[in-house]
Amino acid sequence: MKILAIESSCDETAAAVVEDGRKVLSSVIASQVKEHIVYGGVVPEIASRMHTQAISGVVSKALEDAKVTYGDLDAIAVTYAPGLIGALLVGVNFAKGLSYSTGLPLVPVHHLRSHIAANYITHPELEPPFLCLVVSGGHSHIVAVNSYTDFTIIGRTRDDAAGECMDKAARAMGLPYPGGVNLDRISVDGDPSAYKLPRPHVDGSEYDFSFSGLKTAVVNTIHNAKQKGLEISIPDLGAACIETVADCLVKNTVKAAEEYGFKKIALAGGVSANSRLRARMKAVCEEKGWELYMPELSLCGDNAAMVGAQGYYEFLNKNVAGLELNAYATMPIDEQI
Ligand code: KG4
Ligand code: ZN
């Protein structure tokens, strides 16, 4: 079964053709990083406009690269939530138009579910159930993946997402957007013990996270050093920040895996590209004898191949939408329209 998948939830316009959920026949990504860099972050109105300009060409290229026409396809999958509403609407409306004109079924795909599904492409042997740490620019969740389409949220952030925290910390350190990526690069040789940053404690659920205090601590460290005329080592402060985020993510994931009896762990989302998080997760899973699954780096960030992967399982689960399909800025991973 061949699915054309479309993704436009944030600042990448992407299309892909994926066969049977696991085989990527093509994957095209038009990144908007250059447009947003001068603003230090994604400007939603610019993102929507750029998606509108790019989407037609990106979809044509995906079909061309896969050497297929609409007649070879079985369905059209599209990210409908969560994300920037104006950006999502571009992909959703384009997919609706294609579905109407070709008669192909329209499959709505949740963005975080698709991040998890990136692992099915990298690891063809992976099947639920497993525990997944989903960490992106907008979300930080520990999720029990009960089946391809059934999820239980075990832990979540109470405030900022892990990616958002690192983006803001990077910005305070004067690093260009996209912050998390640049923070990772500059911190590789830093000494994480050079700065003491707080490990937030969250009352209530022992699996929840809180990252807004960490971001404030980084900003205050820089501010205090400036006032005293002291030099800040950006690689060291960056390494301390990443280590703290990784500490919280790894600690809670391990706790959840032990409590819920998971021995198969996966990472997903843009932050799963972080070198320190990958290394820490690998070390702890080796120590515990657990299997660890991580998407290859090219599938960690937003792309449409992962939408095609999840779209396949949503389609098998009879999750097909009509032309009334809408986009939603927020939507819990355990809900589906
Ligand atoms: O999943 P994603 O591409 O978009 C959202 O759905 O949000 O995640 C983007 C987030 C951004 O916060 C970005 O800075 C972060 O992932 N990120 C990283 C790395 N690569 C991307 N954070 C830390 N280290 C990285 N290597
Ligand atoms: Zn994403």
Side-chain angles (χ1 to χ4, degrees), residues 32 35-36 39 43-51:
Q32 303 178 2
E35 302 300 321
H36 299 289
Y39 305 101
V43 182
E45 290 78 4
I46 295 177
S48 308
R49 200 177 318 134
M50 302 251 354
H51 284 309

Side-chain angles (χ1 to χ4, degrees), residues 209-281:
F209 308 107
S210 166
F211 292 114
S212 72
L214 173 59
K215 169 196 70 191
T216 309
V218 169
V219 171
N220 286 345
T221 303
I222 296 169
H223 185 69
N224 290 342
K226 267 192 190 148
Q227 279 189 332
K228 290 178 190 154
L230 298 172
E231 271 293 298
I232 282 276
S233 161
I234 300 296
D236 289 352
L237 185 58
C241 177
I242 288 176
E243 199 67 40
T244 309
V245 172
D247 264 355
C248 301
L249 296 175
V250 172
K251 199 176 89 201
N252 289 12
T253 306
V254 168
K255 225 186 302 171
E258 280 172 341
E259 180 64 28
Y260 288 83
F262 284 100
K263 291 187 161 60
K264 258 157 80 171
I265 315 292
L267 287 187
V271 180
S272 67
N274 185 266
S275 52
R276 193 67 196 133
L277 177 63
R278 287 173 90 92
R280 290 278 308 268
M281 224 42 185

Side-chain angles (χ1 to χ4, degrees), residues 7 9-12 82 111-112 115 135-139 162-167 178-185 242 268-275 297 300-303 306:
E7 151 66 33
S9 67
C10 190
D11 59 346
E12 330 273 357
H111 184 59
L112 297 183
H115 269 301
V135 270
S136 70
H139 298 85
E164 188 182 355
C165 169
M166 288 200 265
D167 288 344
V181 187
N182 290 314
L183 193 67
D184 191 5
R185 267 192 213 128
I242 288 176
V271 180
S272 67
N274 185 266
S275 52
L297 288 179
C300 289
D302 292 344
N303 66 86
M306 66 187 192

Side-chain angles (χ1 to χ4, degrees), residues 3 5 33 35 116 122 127 139 143 189 191 195 205 212 224 287 303 319 326 336:
I3 293 185
V33 165
E35 302 300 321
I116 295 172
T122 304
E127 286 177 8
H139 298 85
V143 180
D189 298 320
D191 172 11
Y195 293 95
S205 167
S212 72
N224 290 342
E287 181 198 314
N303 66 86
N319 181 14
N326 206 350
Q336 180 71 309

Side-chain angles (χ1 to χ4, degrees), residues 72-112:
D72 302 315
L73 298 174
D74 299 287
I76 294 169
V78 64
T79 311
Y80 76 101
L84 299 172
I85 191 69
L88 285 165
L89 278 168
V90 177
V92 166
N93 283 315
F94 198 86
K96 284 197 318 193
L98 285 180
S99 171
Y100 182 67
S101 56
T102 58
L104 290 167
L106 181 64
V107 182
V109 176
H110 188 286
H111 184 59
L112 297 183

